[in-house]
């Protein structure tokens, strides 16, 4: 028989063995192609200047991540290929016994790898083609590009990168196969199925102590992270200590938990000796115990996957909602009164060749004053836990705005005005870092003395309006709204020109004209432009969501593939045991149920601890994002669950079906070998 015919025959005969290998390659290729095809969507060429800069950053980051992930995928493919070689060692031995040269055997395995690789590439690119269109739609939405400009695109650049990357991986795999075949000994091939790992007997007390220590370390690590956050700090080494405890705790947990569980279940005799439970529990315990390093790594990667996908998607959704609230005007320009005087901002801009009257349908100039009390005095009696950016806030004078200016700002947003008596005040605040303190201050201070005038609060609830924009969104730490006569007695701090554009105005043209003014350090003029802010929100959103999902999905695929390959390896090594069960009278249905339970427990073991850890860490991740971006994010749990069911559950099902087929086709016939 020719080598080509033998290769094709082997591929057809071993399709079940190649299932996990093929699935891993196909998913890797599809994800790799889909994410690298995003820059090829023509609709992105219509983006504004700001979004285009962020989009270029996304392109650069995807290129960097793709290179790093390609290395990880190469190790994963080699690992999966090693499983196939191990499964077919006896077949290799038979070829050698029949007199076939190692060079010819190498060509057979190289040919099989090439065939499976070709099928995986074709299937992966086809799947990636459709997946990429969905990702492009999501990306367009995140970057706030009109969906009408979407086009169904086949990216030649992404195809070229994918083919080059996986061609290199397959070359490495082929070289690995050649070396494995050339250096193997015949006796090792023939006796491969009879070699089992010998476990050293250890004291149950030792495992119990290790298990208790793991729980203590994991609890201590979670407490440290919960108290100090999930970012390293120069002030202390709590983060490093928590990370060390977390790693040691996970290792000790998987080293001892299964043995401890079986020891306790032995006391539950009715359950332990029912059906094939004894065999099942000892198999699972042995597999988890001997593969504790793999389980620990998979648990860590799953935790990262859950955190990145959940945080990324939730942040994206929240930022989309916030973008409208934080940009009620098309443009506002701030002027520092101490630097530039109390003049007309519009007149100054016109003198700098920026005639806003030709672009604006409405304009209003309002003023912000300094109260004669500080934020520390306003928040007096409260225990402050300010963010690092607000450390100097207690010594800063409180912002004040007149009721007429505040109502003019509301009118620009087409909102109803508010009323205020001559002896009343209100407080407006929309900054997450001080909102609770401002709310409490309004309750603690029913009266305030401003500019020597005693004012009574009009209501005990905060206003949360955005009366002017800044480059970081809603950041009104607390502004006191007072009658006009009171404001006129205070020192004016900042003037703000609020602008709404005419229909059809080119915002990029205005931004280009405003750039030199914003960079002029000799004056105090600064600006915030709606399109630029809107783009920054969507752009940052897109960068975060896409990169988090990319990393999360790749890590999830890697975890599921490793577990599947490990389970297949353990099943192949235990064929003689399943054959013995058959001889002892166990029917096929009972054996299949045992295989299903064993596969489920093997997949559930790392996921259970990862779910607990990610539940703790996700709380701090949400706090970190909310604190950094001044937004509330709500975890989109259902999306994360659906992703895990699709990928993780798919690998679980493929593993179970393959294990069942291995036992059915090989276990009985070879149990006597």
């Amino acid at each position: 028989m020719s080598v080509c015919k033998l290769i094709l025959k082997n591929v057809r005969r071993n399709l079940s063995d190649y299932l996990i290998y093929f699935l891993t390659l196909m998913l890797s290729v599809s994800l790799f192609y889909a994410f690298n095809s995003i820059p090829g969507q023509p609709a992105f060429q219509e983006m504004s200047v700001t979004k285009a800069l962020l989009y270029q950053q996304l392109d650069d980051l995807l290129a960097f991540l793709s290179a790093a992930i390609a290395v990880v995928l190469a190790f994963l493919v080699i690992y999966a290929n090693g499983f196939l070689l191990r499964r077919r060692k006896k077949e290799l031995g038979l070829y050698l016994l029949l007199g076939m040269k190692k060079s010819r055997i190498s060509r057979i395995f190289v040919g099989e790898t090439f065939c499976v690789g070709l099928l995986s590439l074709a299937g992966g690119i086809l799947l990636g083609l459709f997946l990429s269109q969905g990702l492009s739609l999501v990306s367009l939405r995140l970057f706030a590009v009109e969906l009408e400009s979407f086009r169904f695109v086949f990216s030649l650049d992404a195809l070229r990168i994918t083919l080059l990357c996986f061609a290199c991986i397959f070359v490495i795999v082929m070289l690995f196969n050649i070396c494995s075949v050339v250096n193997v000994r015949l006796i090792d091939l023939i006796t491969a199925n009879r070699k089992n790992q010998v476990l050293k007997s250890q004291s149950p007390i030792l495992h119990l102590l290790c298990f208790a220590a793991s729980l203590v370390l994991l609890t201590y690590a979670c407490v440290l992270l919960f108290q100090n956050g999930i970012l390293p700090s120069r002030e202390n080494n709590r983060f490093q200590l928590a990370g060390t405890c977390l790693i040691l705790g996970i290792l000790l947990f998987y080293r001892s938990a299964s043995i401890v569980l079986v020891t306790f279940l032995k006391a539950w005799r009715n359950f332990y000796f029912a059906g094939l439970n004894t065999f099942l529990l000892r198999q699972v315990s042995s597999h988890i115990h001997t593969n504790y390093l793999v389980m620990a790594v998979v648990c860590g990667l799953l935790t990262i996957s859950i955190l990145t996908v959940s945080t990324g998607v939730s942040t994206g959704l929240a930022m989309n909602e916030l973008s409208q609230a934080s940009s009620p005007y098309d443009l506002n320009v701030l002027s520092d009164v101490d630097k530039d005087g109390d003049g007309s901002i519009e007149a100054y801009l016109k003198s700098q060749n920026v005639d806003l009257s030709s672009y604006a349908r409405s304009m209003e100039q309002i003023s912000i004053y300094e109260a004669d009390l500080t934020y520390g005095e306003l928040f007096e009696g409260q225990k402050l836990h300010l963010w690092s950016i607000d450390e100097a806030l207690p010594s800063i004078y409180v912002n004040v705005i007149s009721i007429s200016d505040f109502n003019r700002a509301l009118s620009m947003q087409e909102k109803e005005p508010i009323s205020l008596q001559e002896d009343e005040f209100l407080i407006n605040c929309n900054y997450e870092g001080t909102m609770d303190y401002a709310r409490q201050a309004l309750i603690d201070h029913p009266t305030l003395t401003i500019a020597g005038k005693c004012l009574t609060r009009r209501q005990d609830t905060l206003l949360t309006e955005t009366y002017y924009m800044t480059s970081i969104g809603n950041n009104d730490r607390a502004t006191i709204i007072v009658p006009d006569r009171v404001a006129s007695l205070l020192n004016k701090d900042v003037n703000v020109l609020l602008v709404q554009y005419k229909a059809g105005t080119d915002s990029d043209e205005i931004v280009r004209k405003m750039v030199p003014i914003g960079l002029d350090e000799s004056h105090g003029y600064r600006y915030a432009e709606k399109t630029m802010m809107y783009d920054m929100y969507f752009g940052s959103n897109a960068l975060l969501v896409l990169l988090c999902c990319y990393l999360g999905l790749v890590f999830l695929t890697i975890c599921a593939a490793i577990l599947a390959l490990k389970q297949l390896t353990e099943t192949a090594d235990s064929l003689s045991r399943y054959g013995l069960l058959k001889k002892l009278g166990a029917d096929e249905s009972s054996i299949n149920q045992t295989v299903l339970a064993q596969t489920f427990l093997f997949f559930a073991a790392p996921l259970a601890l990862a779910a607990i850890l990610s539940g703790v860490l996700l709380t701090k991740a949400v706090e970190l994002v909310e604190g950094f971006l001044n937004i509330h994010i709500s975890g989109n749990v259902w999306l994360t669950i659906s992703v895990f069911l699709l990928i993780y559950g798919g690998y679980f099902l493929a593993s179970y079906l393959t294990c069942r087929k291995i036992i059915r086709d090989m276990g009985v016939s070879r149990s006597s070998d």
Side-chain angles (χ1 to χ4, degrees), residues 326-443:
S326 62
S327 52
Y329 315 107
D330 292 321
L331 172 72
N332 63 217
V333 184
L334 283 74
S335 169
D336 188 333
V337 173
D338 290 339
K339 272 191 173 184
D340 305 304
D342 186 15
S344 169
I345 298 176
E346 181 187 359
Y348 173 78
L349 294 177
K350 192 171 184 179
S351 69
Q352 301 298 312
N353 298 318
V354 185
D355 186 5
L356 290 179
S357 61
S358 59
Y359 301 103
R361 61 178 171 83
S362 61
M363 284 188 291
E364 291 284 357
Q365 180 166 315
I366 63 174
S367 300
I368 301 175
Y369 302 83
E370 286 185 345
D372 48 3
L373 79 158
T374 64
Y375 282 100
E377 293 170 335
L378 181 64
F379 301 151
E380 185 179 6
Q382 301 184 56
K383 189 175 182 180
L384 302 180
H385 298 281
L386 298 172
W387 297 336
S388 57
I389 195 175
D390 301 320
E391 288 178 352
L393 187 65
S395 61
I396 297 176
Y397 289 110
V398 179
N399 286 339
V400 173
I401 187 172
S402 67
I403 183 63
S404 60
D405 279 355
F406 193 79
N407 281 333
R408 281 202 296 273
L410 293 181
S411 177
M412 291 281 288
Q413 304 176 37
E414 299 180 352
K415 293 182 177 180
E416 293 295 323
I418 60 173
S419 60
L420 196 66
Q421 300 298 323
E422 287 298 312
D423 60 347
E424 293 179 333
F425 75 91
L426 289 165
I427 295 181
N428 186 79
C429 179
N430 56 26
Y431 182 63
E432 183 66 25
T434 57
M435 188 173 289
D436 289 339
Y437 305 130
R439 187 177 293 110
Q440 187 61 42
L442 193 57
I443 296 173

Side-chain angles (χ1 to χ4, degrees), residues 21 156 169 260 308 335 372 427 560 589 611 626 638 659:
Y21 186 63
L156 290 176
I169 292 176
V260 172
T308 52
S335 169
D372 48 3
I427 295 181
S589 176
E626 290 182 347
W638 292 110
C659 289

Side-chain angles (χ1 to χ4, degrees), residues 6-24 83-84 87-88 91 112 115-117 119-120 565 568 654-655 657-659 661-662 664-666:
L6 189 57
I7 289 171
L8 294 176
K9 183 178 179 181
N10 283 344
V11 170
R12 286 196 302 268
R13 183 164 53 87
N14 295 296
L15 280 178
S16 60
D17 292 343
Y18 280 112
L19 177 60
I20 299 298
Y21 186 63
F22 175 78
L23 182 62
T24 301
F83 161 74
L84 291 176
R87 286 277 293 116
R88 301 179 62 192
E91 181 184 341
E112 290 181 25
C115 288
V116 175
L119 291 173
S120 302
L565 294 168
L568 293 178
S655 299
L657 294 176
T658 306
C659 289
K661 188 177 187 303
I662 290 173
R664 185 176 66 244
D665 293 348
M666 303 170 61

Side-chain angles (χ1 to χ4, degrees), residues 3 31 49 54 88 97 128 214 228 268 275 293 311 318 329 376 402 412 415 422 502 507 518 546 603-604 621 624 641:
V3 172
L31 288 173
V49 175
L54 288 166
R88 301 179 62 192
L97 278 177
S214 71
N228 301 282
W268 188 7
L293 287 176
T311 305
Y329 315 107
S402 67
M412 291 281 288
K415 293 182 177 180
E422 287 298 312
K502 295 177 181 177
S507 61
L546 291 176
F603 272 75
L624 178 66
I641 290 175

